[in-house]
Amino acid sequence: MNRSSDSSLTGIRGCLIDCLEDPFLISDYRAVRWFLDGLLVIQSGKILACGNYEQLIESYPGLKITHYPDRIITPGLIDTHVHFPQTAIVASYGKQLLEWLELYTFPEERKFQDFEYAAGVAEIFLDELLRNGTTTAMVWTTVFPESTEALFQAAQRRNLRLIAGKIMMDRNAPDYLLDTAETAYRQSRSLIEQWHDRDRLSYALTPRFAPTSTPEQLQITQQLQSEFPSVYLQTHLSENLGELAWVKELFPDDRDYLAVYERFGLVHDRSVFAHGIHLSESEFARLASAGATLAFCPTSNLFLGSGLFKLHEAKAPERPIAVGLATDIGGGTSFSLLQTASEAYKVSQLQNQTLSAVQMLFLLTLGGARSLSLDHAIGNFEPGKEADFVVWNCRSTPIMDFRNRAEIQTWEDLNDRLFSLLMMGDDRSVDCVYILGDRVSLPQVATAPDKAFG
Ligand code: GUN
Ligand code: ZN
């Protein structure tokens, strides 16, 4: 067959790098794959083939190709924990978790009962994800179903792969943000029926954290989980010492923080727990045997003074836990997952552990996909996967241009270039982003209706 005659095929030529295995379990060299001059062949939004340009092009003569010389192309990045309604309060001064929630977060989340406001921020938020090379995210909305609806609609219009859910919270927060066990059940159920597994969207049950849900509400969360076994669960776990003391007070009969969620059947292979800074070895082991995920949010953990995540303990080869990286906007300070990886590297350094470029790439791509049970669809350039990818410019600032002038000729060169991108890069390093094989247009300044700022 002359495959070149198929006009639905397109090619992307450039330096390709992705992960095929977990570099926390085997060497970087065996976990990674690269083609200094590579070719991606795309058909109907999916990867058809990935390989060396000179070899692969022989099978696709006449292929319509876009060439990105002097660029690095990776799979799209995956943010495993981010709050879209906290977009406007990023970088709010001076408080740690519980006071920060009271002072900044709750008043801002109140505004999201207005669908129009939520819809305006959703556009800014999704622009910002894409401007930073993030093509998939697990996202929090607010207690108001209007805000969840607004985000799903906006993501659907852009064909994005996204997981999201309405917060459930029926105590220990301002009255204006509370639902009840009963309304949380009804509203979550209706959103699941409307959005779960629709196009590239999935639903996550979203109890905020143990202190803001009554046992009755956690019970109905369990009920929803059993009625809809394929929906995700996202919540917070063991982030801040004040929070830990509060959980002990509210749930005196549970042996530790994780046990509260376990009692309600919420710890399983579709659960994603953000933070996990102060976990015991027993909690790590139970998370591992449940197949649950930890979302590591280094800029947030540093900004809110929560502590240092023990990544190498979490990923210990004898009982590895699935870990994803996450911005945790607005506790986190950057939408850039490159900046997030850079802070993860430093958090590891402070604990006498190093994180290699390949390990960081893994956490941001295949590891993130595995941690969200999405590795059948995204995470690398294997044939059949969805063609979400990013073209990176490693010379996007004067100092990066100076540092990265030499041509990449060997694996060592590429490994060093990737490391410098992870340490120094940000949104300026994103040359362009593809969703399902189509190049998306990225606004230089995010725009939205004026009322979004009201
Ligand atoms: N714990 C409960 N709610 C939140 C939140 O909105 N952000 C963070 N970082 N931790 C939380
Ligand atoms: Zn969070």
Side-chain angles (χ1 to χ4, degrees):
M1 183 185 83
N2 181 1
R3 284 179 273 194
S4 63
S5 63
D6 186 343
S7 62
S8 71
L9 298 184
T10 54
I12 300 289
R13 180 179 177 185
C15 175
L16 308 176
I17 180 165
D18 67 348
C19 289
L20 296 176
E21 299 291 341
D22 184 344
F24 290 88
L25 303 177
I26 60 173
S27 71
D28 284 357
Y29 197 76
R30 287 171 56 213
V32 75
R33 164 175 67 172
W34 73 95
F35 300 100
L36 296 185
D37 184 12
L39 178 66
L40 281 179
V41 183
I42 297 164
Q43 183 174 41
S44 307
K46 294 198 170 162
I47 311 273
L48 186 64
C50 168
N52 178 280
Y53 173 78
E54 293 292 346
Q55 287 166 8
L56 200 51
I57 195 63
E58 286 184 9
S59 306
Y60 300 93
L63 182 69
K64 184 168 163 280
I65 289 174
T66 307
H67 190 189
Y68 293 102
D70 198 27
R71 296 286 184 267
I72 292 179
I73 302 171
T74 70
L77 307 187
I78 300 170
D79 189 341
T80 57
H81 180 89
V82 56
H83 298 253
F84 112 80
Q86 296 175 15
T87 300
I89 57 147
V90 62
S92 290
Y93 173 74
K95 300 293 176 195
Q96 297 214 349
L97 176 65
L98 300 176
E99 284 179 291
W100 174 85
L101 286 171
E102 294 277 345
L103 192 60
Y104 301 115
T105 309
F106 292 156
E108 177 61 21
E109 290 191 6
R110 182 181 199 171
K111 299 178 188 169
F112 285 74
Q113 60 194 300
D114 176 358
F115 177 86
E116 295 299 321
Y117 182 80
V121 178
E123 297 299 336
I124 296 171
F125 172 80
L126 295 178
D127 279 349
E128 206 54 32
L129 291 190
L130 291 168
R131 286 186 60 257
N132 282 279
T134 302
T135 53
T136 285
M138 184 157 192
V139 188
W140 286 58
T141 65
T142 67
V143 74
F144 305 112
E146 294 82 354
S147 65
T148 319
E149 183 70 34
L151 181 72
F152 275 133
Q153 284 184 18
Q156 187 184 40
R157 279 194 295 274
R158 297 179 191 228
N159 266 330
L160 297 181
R161 187 167 271 291
L162 200 104
I163 306 169
K166 175 205 111 75
I167 289 184
M168 298 189 270
M169 168 155 76
D170 66 346
R171 66 168 168 174
N172 294 323
D175 284 349
Y176 60 75
L177 276 188
L178 294 183
D179 57 8
T180 65
E182 202 268 324
T183 58
Y185 177 84
R186 250 190 309 115
Q187 293 169 349
S188 303
R189 192 186 165 100
S190 152
L191 287 163
I192 292 166
E193 286 169 349
Q194 196 180 348
W195 291 106
H196 184 57
D197 281 346
R198 181 162 166 192
D199 298 335
R200 305 180 82 199
L201 308 171
S202 307
Y203 194 82
L205 299 167
T206 308
R208 180 165 218 129
F209 62 161
T212 50
S213 286
T214 59
E216 294 69 40
Q217 189 169 64
L218 295 173
Q219 178 66 48
I220 66 96
T221 312
Q222 177 168 27
Q223 191 182 329
L224 282 164
Q225 190 78 73
S226 65
E227 289 171 31
F228 301 96
S230 68
V231 301
Y232 292 86
L233 177 120
Q234 59 180 346
T235 189
H236 296 95
L237 170 69
S238 203
E239 175 179 5
N240 164 287
L241 292 174
E243 171 202 6
L244 258 71
W246 199 17
V247 170
K248 225 181 196 46
E249 231 173 77
L250 291 167
F251 298 94
D253 297 334
D254 292 297
R255 69 168 155 147
D256 53 31
Y257 197 156
L258 187 66
V260 177
Y261 296 134
E262 286 172 330
R263 180 149 60 90
F264 296 97
L266 305 181
V267 184
H268 50 74
D269 63 3
R270 295 179 93 76
S271 313
V272 178
F273 297 97
H275 307 299
I277 302 287
H278 306 287
L279 295 174
S280 63
E281 173 50 36
S282 160
E283 287 170 301
F284 272 138
R286 281 144 55 206
L287 284 165
S289 73
T293 287
L294 284 170
F296 174 17
C297 314
T299 73
S300 169
N301 300 157
L302 296 170
F303 180 71
L304 294 176
S306 304
L308 303 179
F309 180 68
K310 302 181 195 95
L311 176 63
H312 287 79
E313 260 178 72
K315 293 285 295 177
E318 56 280 10
R319 52 122 193 79
I321 297 168
V323 175
L325 270 172
T327 62
D328 192 31
I329 289 290
T333 49
S334 173
F335 273 86
S336 168
L337 281 167
L338 302 181
Q339 290 281 294
T340 304
S342 177
E343 297 309 295
Y345 178 83
K346 294 163 202 166
V347 165
S348 297
Q349 282 281 38
L350 283 168
Q351 300 172 88
N352 255 323
Q353 300 282 353
T354 47
L355 198 49
S356 72
V358 172
Q359 287 172 326
M360 288 182 268
L361 177 69
F362 173 78
L363 292 174
L364 292 174
T365 56
L366 184 61
R370 286 184 179 171
S371 77
L372 300 182
S373 305
L374 290 176
D375 49 310
H376 60 285
I378 54 172
N380 60 20
F381 296 136
E382 284 292 87
K385 293 209 185 180
E386 297 160 356
D388 290 355
F389 56 91
V390 185
V391 181
W392 300 98
N393 177 5
C394 297
R395 298 168 61 178
S396 57
T397 66
I399 186 62
M400 289 175 79
D401 181 51
F402 174 67
R403 185 197 188 281
N404 291 332
R405 242 162 223 198
E407 192 191 341
I408 298 173
Q409 291 181 322
T410 62
W411 159 245
E412 288 72 24
D413 295 344
L414 175 57
N415 195 19
D416 172 71
R417 194 64 52 95
L418 177 65
F419 185 72
S420 80
L421 176 69
L422 289 159
M423 292 303 105
M424 303 172 79
D426 54 30
D427 54 324
R428 291 168 294 182
S429 316
V430 174
D431 182 323
C432 59
V433 175
Y434 283 74
I435 297 293
L436 293 179
D438 286 333
R439 185 172 165 154
V440 296
S441 56
L442 302 174
Q444 289 310 301
V445 177
T447 53
D450 283 350
K451 63 186 146 201
F453 299 99

